[in-house]
Amino acid sequence: MANEVESSPNSYPMNGGNGCHSYVQNSHFQRALLHAAKDVITEAIVEKVDITNPWFNSSSTLRVADFGCSVGPNTFIVVQNIIEALELLYRSKQHNPEIPEFHVFFNDHVHNDFNTLFRSLPFSHRYFAAGVPGSFHDRLFPKSTLHIVHASYALHWLSQVPTQLADRNSPAWNKGRIHGLGATSKEVREAFSAQFGKDLQAFLNARARELVGGGLMLLLVSALPNEFHSSQTNSAIVLDLLGSCLIDMAKMGIISEDNVDSFNLPIYRTCPGELEAFIEKNGHFKIEKMEELSNPVRRDPPDFQMLSSHLRATFEGALEEHFGNEIMDELFDRFTNKIGENSHIIYDQQYIKEIEIFISLKHTVTDYEV
């Protein structure tokens, strides 16, 4: 099946295994939001899934996919929430409820640590489980096979860094910064926004082919408020500190300055208005609900080592691919120290502008013929 996105040949999965730098041990922030989202996910399924739709016949197997599942245990939490909501739906809408069987697909890049994922599969899970490696910007399933799709903290990852960011002759050359979050340069913002829009269209087009008529897509997206372009946000400040560590190491001759200037993290934070416009432009889905959620972890007291470990578990793959693994320990030791030195800024409430958005989308195909 032809792609509708020029995918990067590289993928940067979260750190695998169960060690101190693994995503398993350093993903409490994402886990807290999944717990906070349980009620809105249940509400979306109970209110928006039509069990009179032949695709949702209780004698059939319902298929659920989590895109960008990583290595667990977070994916198991959200899958359990979805399964429980579906069971509640069938019990509440039928006099003699017959609960369908469930087949759950866990998707992430081919280099994801699926071994760790499936070793930690809950013993009491009430579904059949399968792994599906590959980029979620591509088609991964046959036509009309999925009933519920979920993705959380995944869509801000781009298929590639916009090429003009590393072009010295481009107005979007991002010298001195390793990211585009809250970029002060209009050209950098537009380059990231265009890549995000292209990737999102590819993601939505692929899911539109894979979802059954009336199928539901549940998304948790990391974002910034509408019309907010300042680089003075918590996440931008933190990544600027990480970038400054690389610059310091370049000045010491440990790595080259050119290598630093050519590196950008393939991430982008959209805003609610932009996200809504891209979805409406796509035309395959109806927005059933879009709301901001509160992540309780943002109110936790500062923990320098925890923040550094979280960033290492998330971004080490991309950094190691570009700079090699020899500098990782020194880089993150320096980074932890800088977080401590700048904690008064990082944890200042005026800079915590990031938001999390929950979106419920319904596949707009109205032909329910199976």
Side-chain angles (χ1 to χ4, degrees), residues 186-248:
K186 176 184 176 183
E187 290 79 12
V188 172
R189 287 201 309 270
E190 290 178 347
F192 271 103
S193 176
Q195 185 64 52
F196 174 76
K198 185 177 182 180
D199 288 346
L200 183 62
Q201 294 306 313
F203 176 85
L204 294 174
N205 287 338
R207 305 297 82 80
R209 297 286 290 173
E210 297 164 349
L211 272 164
V212 301
L216 210 60
M217 181 148 59
L218 309 170
L219 306 175
L220 289 168
V221 181
S222 181
L224 289 172
N226 287 327
E227 305 302 326
F228 188 87
H229 300 306
S230 172
S231 60
Q232 294 300 297
T233 67
N234 172 274
S235 53
I237 291 170
V238 168
L239 291 180
D240 281 341
L241 289 176
L242 181 60
S244 72
C245 294
L246 290 168
I247 292 172
D248 291 344

Side-chain angles (χ1 to χ4, degrees), residues 170-184:
S170 168
W173 184 35
N174 204 27
K175 179 178 172 58
R177 301 192 83 201
I178 64 169
H179 66 94
L181 301 184
T184 55

Side-chain angles (χ1 to χ4, degrees), residues 150 251 330:
H150 172 268
K251 290 177 179 177
E330 180 176 352

Side-chain angles (χ1 to χ4, degrees), residues 130-183:
V132 180
S135 169
F136 58 49
H137 294 115
D138 303 335
R139 278 283 304 278
L140 294 168
F141 295 91
K143 179 181 177 181
S144 300
T145 54
L146 301 178
H147 297 81
I148 305 289
V149 161
H150 172 268
S152 64
Y153 280 114
L155 294 181
H156 65 284
W157 282 93
L158 304 177
S159 66
Q160 62 181 36
V161 173
T163 55
Q164 57 267 50
L165 266 68
D167 182 356
R168 293 175 179 271
N169 298 315
S170 168
W173 184 35
N174 204 27
K175 179 178 172 58
R177 301 192 83 201
I178 64 169
H179 66 94
L181 301 184

